Amino acid sequence: RPAWSIASDTPRLPSPPHCASITAPDLTGLGVDGLTVANVQDVSDVLQGQAQGGTGCLFSLTTEGAGSAGLTILAHPDGGAYFDATVARLTGAQPVPGLGDDARSGSDSPGSTTVITRRGPLVVEVRIGRPDVLDPNLLIAVAGLALEREDQP
C-alpha cells in the first residue's frame, strides 16, 4: 500500500459525529509505522471567533519513536472569513496547488504545521503541533480527503 493511502482495516474507535468526515482508521491507514489514535475528542463546542459554526475534532496521535501530538481537523460550511484570517496568521504560508479552490500550508506557532483549503464557501483546516509525527504531505492528503467528503451532497 502506498504511503499516502487512506484505506485501513484498523478497528474503529468510537468517534464524535462531526469530525470533518475523517475517522481514526483514515489516520492509522496513512502508512506511518506505529501510528495510533489514542483518543478522538469533538471540539466543535469550543470553537471561537470566525471558527464558530464549524465542526472540529482533536485526534490524539502517538507514534513509535516520535512521541505524541494533537491533530486538529476543522470544517466550516461558510468559512471564507475564517480562511482569510487563518492564512493571514500563518508564517511562511505557501500555496498548495490542486487542493480545492485555494489552499495554503504554513505554521501558526513554532513547530506546528497547518494546511487550510477551501472550495466555494466550505473550508477545511488540518493542524498538527509536531511535524515529526505526520509529514506535511500527509496533512495535505488528509485535508483533501476531508474536503472531498465534506463537499458531498
Side-chain angles (χ1 to χ4, degrees):
R1 174 178 291 157
W4 49 264
S5 174
I6 303 206
S8 175
D9 298 326
T10 306
R12 292 190 176 269
L13 291 176
S15 66
H18 304 289
C19 288
S21 301
I22 298 298
T23 65
D26 292 329
L27 299 174
T28 56
L30 289 171
V32 176
D33 288 336
L35 179 70
T36 60
V37 177
N39 188 36
V40 182
Q41 179 182 357
D42 186 339
V43 295
S44 301
D45 60 343
V46 297
L47 298 177
Q48 299 178 2
Q50 293 161 329
Q52 286 182 325
T55 59
C57 280
L58 173 62
F59 293 85
S60 299
L61 306 178
T62 60
T63 60
E64 296 172 11
S68 63
L71 175 73
T72 305
I73 302 175
L74 304 176
H76 200 299
D78 189 20
Y82 181 73
F83 180 90
D84 294 340
T86 300
V87 169
R89 78 170 192 265
L90 289 178
T91 301
Q94 297 293 318
V96 181
L99 183 59
D101 297 333
D102 192 2
R104 307 296 167 94
S105 178
S107 176
D108 63 356
S109 65
S112 73
T113 302
T114 297
V115 174
I116 188 163
T117 184
R118 68 175 162 195
R119 180 177 293 142
L122 174 64
V123 172
V124 170
E125 177 185 23
V126 178
R127 181 186 186 280
I128 195 161
R130 292 186 50 202
D132 59 333
V133 174
L134 283 183
D135 180 271
N137 288 327
L138 292 177
L139 295 181
I140 292 169
V142 171
L145 179 62
L147 186 65
E148 289 303 314
R149 288 181 179 172
E150 289 290 319
D151 202 26
Q152 298 300 313

